Amino acid sequence: MLLINCPYCGEREQEEFTCGGEAHIERPQNPPDLTDDQWADYLFLRQNIKGLQYERWNHAFGCRQWFNVARNTATDEILAVYNMGEKPPQLESNDPLTPCGEPPIGSGNFSTSKK
Amino acid sequence: MRLQNNKNLNQTKRIGFIFDGKKYYGYEGDTLASALLSNNVHLLGRSFKYHRPRGIISAGCEEPNGIVQLELNEFTEPNRRATEIILYEGLIAKSQNRWPSVKYDVGAINDLLAPFFPAGFYYKTFMWPPKFWKTYEHFIRRAAGLGDSPKKDDPHKYEHYHYHCDTLIVGSGVSGLYAAKIAASKNLKVLLVEQEAQTGGAILSSNKHENKINGKNQTEWKHQILDELKKAKNVKIITSTTLFAYMHYNYLLAIQDLQPSKGKDKKNSIRQVIWKIRAKKVILATGSIERPLTFNNNDRPGIMLANSVSKYLNGYGVKLGKDIVIFTNNDSAYQTAIDFHHHNINIAAVVDVRNNIESDIPLKVRNLGIKIYSGSIISNTTGRRKIKTVHIKKINENNVKVLNCDLLCMSGGWSPTVHLFTQSRGKLKFRDEDSCFIPHQAHQNSLSIGSCNGVFDLKNILKETYSTVNFFLNADKKDSLDGKVFESETIKIGKQENAWLINKKNIGKSKMFVDFQNDVTAKDIKIALSEGFQSIEHVKRYTTNGMATDQGKTSNVNALGIISELTGQDISDLGTTTFRLPYTPVTFGAMAGRFVKEFFDIERTTSIHSWHVRNNALFEDVGQWKRPWYYPKKNETMDEAVSREVKATRDSLGILDASTLGKIDLKGRDVSEFLNRVYTNAWSKLAIGKCRYGVMLGDDGMVVDDGVTTRLGEHHYVMTTTTGNAASVMSKLEDWLQTEWPELEVYLTSVTEQFGTISLNGPNSRKIVESLFPDQNFSSESFPHMSYKEFEIDNVPCRVMRISFTGEICYEINILGSYALSLWNKCMDIGKNFNITPYGTEAMHVLRAEKGYIIVGQETDGSVTPVDLDMNWIVSKKKYDFVGKRALLRSDTVKEDRKQLVGILTVDPSIVLEEGSQLVEVETSLPMPMVGHITSSYYSPNLGRSIALALVKSGTKKKGAKLIVPTVNKSIEVEIANPVFVDPGNERLLA
Amino acid sequence: MSLIRNTVLEDIKIEKNGISIEELPFIGKINLRGNTQDRDFLSNAESVLDILIPTDPNTKIQNKELQVIWLSPNEWLLRFLNNDNFIRIFEELNNKLNPEKTSITDTSENKTIIRIEGKHTTELLRKFMVLDIDNALKDNLRVAQTIFIKIPVLIIRNHLDQNKQSFDIHVNRSHATYLRDLLLDGCNQFIN
């Protein structure tokens, strides 16, 4: 369970929030002029990053405000929280070293073959 | 046998309990294990696979063998560890996995058949042919069972409890208590969690005369610290509480076991509490677990972990043997020899695999005159129900010395309890010198101290705890050192020697148990390796090592050691298996907490609910709402009741509680523009006092909601949503306003529950409103369909809308919630002369289906556009954009053969189709190409026949075509029809 | 037959195990929305209400007649403590504030208020609430919108003195019966 730092209410439990998916996808201003591919790009295509991802979150059971979160999806670390309309901050994340993003020892995802 | 004057027990208070039908006595402070052992009960059960006699080997949660069925009937709990059950008067327990009794067990034949039960036996034998599995399953399940699961409802209560603290300390041994003292002195809110009933950790098992802290013996020191902590207001200590999960952001779960209450309170008393803890910082002081040694026949009752034997002796005053042998590869077990010597109990021999034994404690043992066999091993043991002899021999020699004994204490070294640390995603490293995994790099704000951090001697534990805890808890990183400095004397400790496999050459012919609970032997591991399993994770699954209810607390590292020895690879290269949560098993009751029976799910009720209950309504769950489903009269079936309600509404007057519909108040300059964007139709020209139906789409063009919006003023509208979507629509509208269109001046406020909504339907509904509001004109000229007015009854304002979901004249009255019940009663009273009939959701569904009105979520499933619903009329062609518009022009959404809404009539009018039935054009061999499915199907009492709605490929163009509904027994012929079955010309609606 | 008013709960007040759970009678409530950047909005609203409007998240400001409770950066709950001036103020707000840029909505009955008092109140709430009560409601200026199990609630701390705990829970009227029954179940036994 994440602990999310709402820009207004401070740290609250994840249960109070809903996630709105990838951030910084703007609804096109001129939908009728777009090709099917361009529209599909806006509507369906998401990066689904393993690692640093910018997401929209809503403090649904609190102040009902939407805001952006920079989260490492592999480790669940929240690296930044920033307001709607702001540019994403430049961040570095510790990307996962192993296939399933877990530490090499304590996960068992090491085979007996030599490193 | 019990020693007198043990300080941890209340030996003035004798407690009676029953084990396997026989009455025994223990003392207050005993665990079930210590009480049984003090009564010389060693044999506690039969092993899982070979049904070998097994006894208790440890004194804590790592216990693999001593698991029992606790209590009877509705109170029964299987697989409880005897080492963790605190003794109480009247406790009833029995051994598990034996038939007919633990002493004579039929399944023990498996032990003689052992060669036929190697690793992977079940995989290999019962896989083929697949259809035989049903035959095997019955026998395997019966043979493999541990305890019996309860058959009756558990009458206990279970609780969840949320707790926030600055510092959580897990474990109350020397390091945990010391850390708590330091944290307390820094004025932090501290929670100290101890899994055992008593605090103290290793202090409980340590000898009272050795290892003093600042000159005090450890028990005295503990009581001094505890007294201080108990006085501090910022410290909370909970015992009998096991921390079983360590998740993100220092969110941890612990389960607190409470003593069962007695007498009449027994049934509703709280049995267990799950603590849901959010801590700013976590200090892990979880200690370490002693490892068994792996030698031939190492599983007999009476073979136990050395430190646990000391704990029974020092902590519970239980003397476990007269002729004692100790077998070790390290110094710690020598302490057990000293402990027994203090009580004048004879140690027959210490067998040590090491040749050079020169460190402090072994020397002390030698000086006591105890015989030490250095460079030696125990090659075998005998004794069926309890150990009788051990065979001692020098490594690499063949001469065997047979020694009689009734207790064998073993120690294969120590494994730090790093389970929680790794659950928190901390990284481990392997320390070769004493073969243990120790914390290397924490992932969260946590600190490991004491023996769970691989620090085993008291002097260093005290020193490191003082410095690291102080540093860890200092928020400003200043070097302020709080808490008293505690010290202990230096003890020279000898190096441990690895002894993963005792007598490796003999592995093929021996029974060297690694995982006692799942009956996995060293030989099984060897077979797994020789069959090509390499990864530790694969070996684990193939042999099932570490997969029992104890999750391999005593066996995982030993299994790694054995693999390392057999393959010649370093353990650090093997890695470990995952330490999964929960750390110890958690009952389903505790997980469910209070949320069972009447609290199973959240329930919402309307202001009129009590009337529905009094009038025998049956309820349907719509989201969390309890909505009246239908109101059966005496002896009426559901079909009869629904038909009566439907017919009465069309013929005269029906009344529906529509309070559950979502209502959103919209205010501001740009509301009409906002509505233009979120609905498919045009809103700019809606006059004040008029209502309009709208369909809301997602940007994928699919219908997500529908409802009527009314304009109350220049800048004031109220929108209704479907019952189930009220919250999600509100949230989506807020999303658009906050993130995409912040330039729009629109404010939303949910007013769903401000009002109770009463819907009066039928040709006589006008008579009721005329009676309620005698001064008003309800003719269609002055109050037409799709319009709104505000009136008053007894000075209470009412919002009245003439809108309809039945196709009849309908007035929906919205009144303040607290008056809704009273208004309902008034309507019922006035309506008597018109056969007013309350109807539920089922009749509502029939009525709207007769009229061909859709229900979002029934006719739609997230893949249906308004065009598919034959509702082109509601999709504006003029608006440049609205949510979903662009998607309606995608190549897929404009396809002509999409599934479209049609009516369906069965050729035989008496057949009511099943909702969800598939429609086909011709019957072929399977799989039949299907062209659509039934979305709604009812018997229409007004038409005297069945009706249905369906989504059918190119359906709108196929009116009149014949289709087939294939069912198991017969094929039903149907015809595509117009979906409006009643009043297609709207004469009734607009009358 | 004239209309009568009904409370949401059939038993308005129940005491159990040292805890009192009571549904307060419906008194006027107004949901007020507007932009704090708009100086007219704040000054007009404050002059009608004769009280400051809190801009600090999750706080309230109150006088003898009224609590003004922060709900979101552009939303407040005006909770009247008596009905003397409710209608007058509701009308004055409508007259003084710009209808194009504000929202003034009567929500008197949208939620009901359940007051919990007694020695074990915080312990009782901890059985159901994930909120860090000691921190989020550390003084009686604080309010919090949060969840009670999964039910959305607004919780207000009334007490100054930790020994006289009192909280008001604003909850959808439809959830009130379930929430109250669950609280009562939780009163059966206190162990910590």
Side-chain angles (χ1 to χ4, degrees), chain B residues 519-536:
Chain B
D519 258 4
V520 179
T521 63
K523 185 179 161 189
D524 293 326
I525 293 174
K526 191 180 174 194
I527 291 171
L529 292 169
S530 67
E531 291 187 4
F533 294 92
Q534 290 194 337
S535 156
I536 174 66

Side-chain angles (χ1 to χ4, degrees), chain B residues 324-338 347-354 357 361-362 365-366 369-378 392 403 408-409:
Chain B
I324 299 164
V325 174
I326 293 170
F327 182 22
T328 186
N329 68 344
N330 67 84
D331 278 9
S332 73
Y334 285 84
Q335 187 63 47
T336 306
I338 297 171
I347 302 292
V350 177
V351 181
D352 195 327
V353 300
R354 301 175 295 180
I357 310 162
I361 305 175
V365 169
R366 182 170 292 157
I370 295 169
K371 169 81 179 159
I372 298 176
Y373 293 85
S374 59
S376 300
I377 57 166
I378 289 179
I392 302 169
L403 216 57
L408 173 58
C409 308

